[in-house]
Amino acid sequence: MGNVATSIEDQINLLQKRGLIIEDLDKAKETLLDIGYYRLGFYWHHFYNSKKEEFAENVNFKDITDLYYFDTELRFLLTQYLTRIEINFRTKVVYYISNKYKNSPTWFVDPKVINNQFIKDFDNHYNEDFKRINVIKNHHKKYINDKYAPAWKTLEYFTFGTVFKIFESLNEDNIKERISNCYDMYDIYKFMNFMKNIIFLRNICAHGGVLYDLNLGKGFSKIHQINYSSRNTHTLDAACKVISFLLYSISENRRNDFEIQLKTILDKYFVNQKVKDIIKSKTDF
């Protein structure tokens, strides 16, 4: 679109001029008004030669929207199961640490439990906006002398990333090991690598980011329980294998559901050979 906004009609004319086949103009207009020309550009650039400023031969508008809807359905699926992992991890953190330090219900600011750097910055998390959450606000109304609500209330409203930061800031490795062992992982550093990447992926999904050509900044650690499709552990396929592995420790049925639904989505969009080629090259599926 450059630096000047254009009408839907002009956008369609430009796409056609550059060789894109558009069989249903009304549907194309509806899609452009729904998704947007700029966002669709994230999906058509693999079909497009920027040097020649033209689309590859026989590329149809539907090829682009198929890739977009594959990405959308995959994002919804991952969000569902990443949320399951997030809730389970939060539950494990709250349960095991709270029971280990029964006399310290606000152990997240206890220097015997958590390192001083996290405690120093804690009020950035437990700020005035946070205190307006009903459960937290009601706690302080009832217990006026409490500076913080106990862990089982407070951590329920922290982000996945903040809960992981608390886990990472624990002084004692043995409690980290206790929690990582719940997921059949006995190397806490590999477990933390998994969780950092899972949180990154979850944030991409939560903000509607593009998935199909996602390359994780740090690859997933290698463990004997997971057979990655290639040496490249930065891919979406590697991420899905890790999600499946973590889900198995939570519920075998949920792991099976995830794998079935993932296969259903892949089968649906692999019917389109051009889209299949892009998905396989970018994701390792």
Side-chain angles (χ1 to χ4, degrees):
M1 291 178 68
N3 294 320
V4 180
T6 56
S7 68
I8 293 296
E9 289 74 17
D10 288 342
Q11 292 169 11
I12 287 175
N13 288 336
L14 181 59
L15 292 171
Q16 289 178 317
K17 181 180 177 182
R18 291 176 174 174
L20 182 65
I21 300 168
I22 303 177
E23 296 172 344
D24 188 335
L25 290 175
D26 289 337
K27 183 62 178 177
K29 290 178 182 178
E30 177 187 312
T31 301
L32 287 165
L33 279 170
D34 176 30
I35 302 168
Y37 183 94
Y38 181 76
R39 186 171 181 80
L40 278 179
F42 300 147
Y43 300 91
W44 74 52
H45 74 91
H46 290 294
F47 301 100
Y48 186 72
N49 186 324
S50 57
K51 291 183 178 179
K52 294 183 178 180
E53 293 191 344
E54 64 183 23
F55 285 92
E57 189 176 355
N58 295 323
V59 175
N60 197 297
F61 191 77
K62 187 178 182 300
D63 298 327
I64 296 164
T65 57
D66 277 356
L67 184 57
Y68 170 81
Y69 286 118
F70 161 76
D71 209 57
T72 300
E73 290 188 31
L74 182 62
R75 189 184 309 114
F76 288 158
L77 176 68
L78 294 185
T79 298
Q80 176 185 352
Y81 288 98
L82 288 169
T83 299
R84 184 66 186 267
I85 293 169
E86 174 184 358
I87 291 171
N88 186 272
F89 176 69
R90 179 186 289 112
T91 300
K92 296 288 194 296
V93 168
V94 171
Y95 177 79
Y96 287 111
I97 303 175
S98 296
N99 276 280
K100 182 176 176 64
Y101 303 101
K102 288 179 180 291
N103 295 323
S104 183
T106 57
W107 50 259
F108 45 79
V109 288
D110 185 340
K112 294 179 181 178
V113 181
I114 300 289
N115 71 48
N116 286 324
Q117 184 57 53
F118 181 83
I119 295 172
K120 178 183 175 182
D121 297 333
F122 185 75
D123 285 346
N124 293 329
H125 303 287
Y126 206 101
N127 54 29
E128 293 306 313
D129 286 339
F130 185 80
K131 292 175 187 177
R132 282 196 280 268
I133 295 170
N134 282 336
V135 169
I136 305 300
K137 180 171 65 177
N138 291 337
H139 177 88
H140 288 295
K141 281 183 180 179
K142 186 173 182 180
Y143 303 98
I144 59 175
N145 293 322
D146 283 4
K147 187 174 181 180
Y148 306 110
W152 45 93
K153 292 182 182 179
T154 297
L155 270 67
E156 185 66 30
Y157 298 97
F158 278 168
T159 65
F160 196 175
T162 301
V163 174
F164 176 74
K165 184 65 177 176
I166 291 171
F167 172 86
E168 197 176 28
S169 300
L170 288 165
N171 291 328
E172 296 185 32
D173 280 352
N174 63 350
I175 191 65
K176 293 180 186 177
E177 291 170 355
R178 179 68 185 87
I179 293 168
S180 65
N181 290 355
C182 293
Y183 300 95
D184 197 25
M185 295 197 70
Y186 303 94
D187 182 322
I188 58 175
Y189 299 101
K190 288 185 177 182
F191 176 69
M192 288 194 290
N193 162 272
F194 274 22
M195 297 309 290
K196 285 178 182 178
N197 278 327
I198 287 294
I199 291 166
F200 176 77
L201 180 59
R202 188 264 181 201
N203 290 340
I204 293 289
C205 291
H207 294 94
V210 177
L211 285 179
Y212 76 97
D213 61 354
L214 179 69
N215 192 298
L216 294 165
K218 291 185 177 180
F220 286 99
S221 295
K222 293 182 179 180
I223 60 174
H224 73 273
Q225 299 98 316
I226 299 178
N227 293 316
Y228 295 109
S229 297
S230 69
R231 292 182 179 180
N232 183 1
T233 64
H234 296 71
T235 66
L236 207 52
D237 178 71
C240 287
K241 283 183 166 60
V242 169
I243 291 169
S244 180
F245 170 75
L246 294 173
L247 285 171
Y248 184 76
S249 299
I250 298 169
S251 166
E252 185 175 356
N253 287 336
R254 296 297 76 74
R255 190 276 305 271
N256 293 339
D257 290 344
F258 170 71
E259 292 187 348
I260 290 168
Q261 290 175 61
L262 177 60
K263 183 179 185 302
T264 298
I265 292 172
L266 291 172
D267 288 347
K268 177 179 178 180
Y269 290 97
F270 276 11
V271 170
N272 184 324
Q273 188 62 48
K274 290 193 284 289
V275 170
K276 178 181 179 180
D277 290 344
I278 291 173
I279 292 171
K280 288 179 73 68
S281 69
K282 293 295 178 181
T283 65
D284 258 359
F285 282 134

